[in-house]
Structures are given as C-alpha cells and as structure tokens.
Amino acid sequence: MIWDLVIQPFADFGFMRRALLGCVAISVGATPVGVFLMLRRMSLTGDAMAHAILPGAAVGYLISGLSLGAMTIGGLVAGMVVALLSGFVTRMTSLREDASLAAFYLISLALGVLIVSTRGSNVDLMHVLFGTVLALDDAALILLCSIASLSVLTLALFFRPLALECADPGFLRSVSRLSAVTHFTFLTLVVLNLVGGFHALGTLMAVGIMILPAAAARFWAVGIGGLIATAIAVAMFASLTGLLLSYHYSLPSGPAIILVAGIAYGLSLILGPVGGLAARAFPRRHFEA
C-alpha cells in the first residue's frame, strides 16, 4: 500500500525523481530566505520581487525561447533592477517602500505577460507563470542545487548580522558597517532563489514555497534555528505530498505543492503551540509556588 502510493512513482519514473530533487533543493535554499523575509516583515516584498523577474525572463524567452541560461540571466537582471529602483524611489521621494514595490510589481507583471504573449502561445505563458516542475532537466537541477548551496553558505556567513537586522536594524547600522552589505546581499539571495524557483514553479508560485512554510513554522518554533528547520521540513513535506497528488490525481504539480503548503499553514494556525488559535483559546495553566 505505502509502496504503491508513495515509493513506486519515484522508483518507476525518472521525471518524478528529478522533480523531487528540484523541490528539495528549493526547500533547502529558498525556505530559510523566506524565514528571514517573514522576520523582517518583508513577506509581500518577496511576492513583489517574484513578479519583478518576469519581464527579464520574458526578454530571455523572446531572444532564445525556453532557454534556461537566457531566462535565468534575464530574471536576475530584472529582479536586481527593480530592487535597486524601488530603493532609489523610496530614498529620493516620499513614497514608502511597499508602495514603490507594488508599483514596480504591477508594471513588471503586465510587461512580462505582454512580452511572452507577443511571441509565444498560451502554453508558453502557462509555463512561465506556473512552471513545469515535472520537466526539470539536468541543467535546471544543477542550477537549483547551485543556488541552494550558495544560499546556505551565504546565510551561514551572514547569519548574525541578518538576525540582528531582524531584531534591531537601527542598532546594526550604529555598530557595524555591514548593514548595507547585509541588506543588499539578502535581496540578492531573494532574487536568486526566486529565479531558481521560477524554473520549477513559475513566477506566480515560486514565492509560495518561500513564504508559506516559513509562516507555518512560526506557530511551532521560536528561535531562528528552529524556524528554519521547521520551515524546511514543511516545504519538503509539501513538495513530496504535492508531487504525489499530482501523480495520482492528474493535478498540476506546482499549484498542488503550494496548496499542500497552504494546508500546512492552516493547520499550524489552528493547532500550533506557539500562538496558534487552540493554544490561545486553551492556554496552559502554570503552577504558582
């Protein structure tokens, strides 16, 4: 029974193994970045940046078709340009950062869809927006694993300033020159992981595997290390379950993965011991001496 439901799809089909490996790489690389996005109250920034990469990927598609290299470079360039432009607008005008990101996000989404639609078909547009995790090739897997490795190494090197910036960014700016470097490095990691997730889950779904497991982990852990470990576990569970649902019930794989992550978030919201609804409704009694 367990063999037929869980193991056989991956034992019999190489595309399922490739999809699972790609999702594991995204879980290890992108989900910790999502934890820091959540702690820095920048979750919606991640969503905006996910759509910011679309016009660059679309230009790459316009030049070379569904080329991994061209779309990756285009997405990276577009994401970094939008990040820098939104920061410039925030510092040089009275517009808040969330408003400037929202403006660039809407422009980028419309421009990217327009570019893809001028040359490609509806199938190509769906590929760009929702990804094709079941069609990952060797080059895509190498890219995803490389981004995951770079993300883990960078987060390990910048862990302390990132954690301090989450708690008190003003203090970090006052005691260290690493504040600007840390912020720019973190935004680079966000863009890198969104570009990697874009190849598997598309621009509309890539941010889901980054944010939803992190939000679910918030109801099970307190420390940053616990949050990261729990978020990665939730992301891997969502990836495995979503792929199996896609295989057994002919569902689109990317949305299935994100929906499972959303269900995990909903259950965590209700049952989580750290601020969940059940914990608040039925608090534990503490004995007093």
Side-chain angles (χ1 to χ4, degrees):
M1 183 68 175
I2 295 179
W3 173 270
D4 293 335
L5 290 177
V6 179
I7 301 176
Q8 187 174 10
F10 300 103
D12 291 348
F13 298 101
F15 70 89
M16 289 291 289
R17 294 193 295 271
R18 291 170 179 271
L20 182 60
L21 176 59
C23 289
V24 168
I26 295 172
S27 300
V28 172
T31 306
V33 175
V35 170
F36 283 104
L37 275 174
M38 178 188 67
L39 293 176
R40 291 159 63 108
R41 296 177 177 86
M42 294 174 62
S43 298
L44 290 178
T45 300
D47 185 52
M49 295 303 298
H51 296 88
I53 69 176
L54 182 55
V59 170
Y61 167 79
L62 196 64
I63 296 173
S64 303
L66 295 174
S67 167
L68 179 71
M71 296 180 73
T72 298
I73 294 173
L76 284 172
V77 172
M80 295 310 300
V81 167
V82 168
L84 293 174
L85 283 177
S86 63
F88 175 79
V89 170
T90 301
R91 285 164 177 77
M92 300 302 294
T93 69
S94 59
L95 195 65
R96 291 170 57 93
E97 186 175 16
D98 58 342
S100 63
L101 271 173
F104 283 114
Y105 140 65
L106 293 170
I107 295 170
S108 299
L109 180 60
L111 181 61
V113 172
L114 182 64
I115 291 173
V116 175
S117 300
T118 57
R119 176 173 172 177
S121 63
N122 289 335
V123 174
D124 296 325
L125 182 60
M126 294 294 286
H127 169 86
V128 172
L129 293 179
F130 296 102
T132 52
V133 67
L134 295 179
L136 294 176
D137 56 13
D138 290 344
L141 288 178
I142 291 173
L143 175 67
L144 293 177
C145 293
S146 299
I147 291 175
S149 300
L150 179 62
S151 297
V152 170
L153 178 61
T154 305
L155 288 175
L157 291 174
F158 284 86
F159 184 83
R160 293 186 67 181
L162 276 173
L164 185 56
E165 191 173 38
C166 292
D168 192 345
F171 177 74
L172 178 63
R173 285 193 296 268
S174 66
V175 300
S176 174
R177 297 179 180 178
L178 290 176
S179 177
V181 175
T182 300
H183 185 71
F184 182 76
T185 301
F186 179 70
L187 286 180
T188 302
L189 282 183
V190 172
V191 174
L192 270 175
N193 281 280
L194 288 173
V195 169
F198 150 76
H199 289 294
L201 301 172
T203 57
L204 294 183
M205 299 286 117
V207 71
I209 203 67
M210 184 179 287
I211 298 299
L212 285 172
R218 181 63 181 84
F219 296 103
W220 298 98
V222 178
I224 295 180
L227 286 171
I228 291 176
T230 306
I232 291 176
V234 171
M236 289 185 177
F237 172 79
S239 299
L240 175 63
T241 307
L243 288 174
L244 290 173
L245 288 173
S246 173
Y247 174 82
H248 289 294
Y249 298 101
S250 300
L251 301 175
S253 51
I257 292 171
I258 302 306
L259 184 59
V260 174
I263 293 173
Y265 166 74
L267 293 175
S268 300
L269 173 66
I270 297 171
L271 304 175
V274 184
L277 295 178
R280 289 180 178 273
F282 306 101
R284 295 181 180 179
R285 295 184 177 181
H286 298 278
F287 293 102
E288 296 182 358

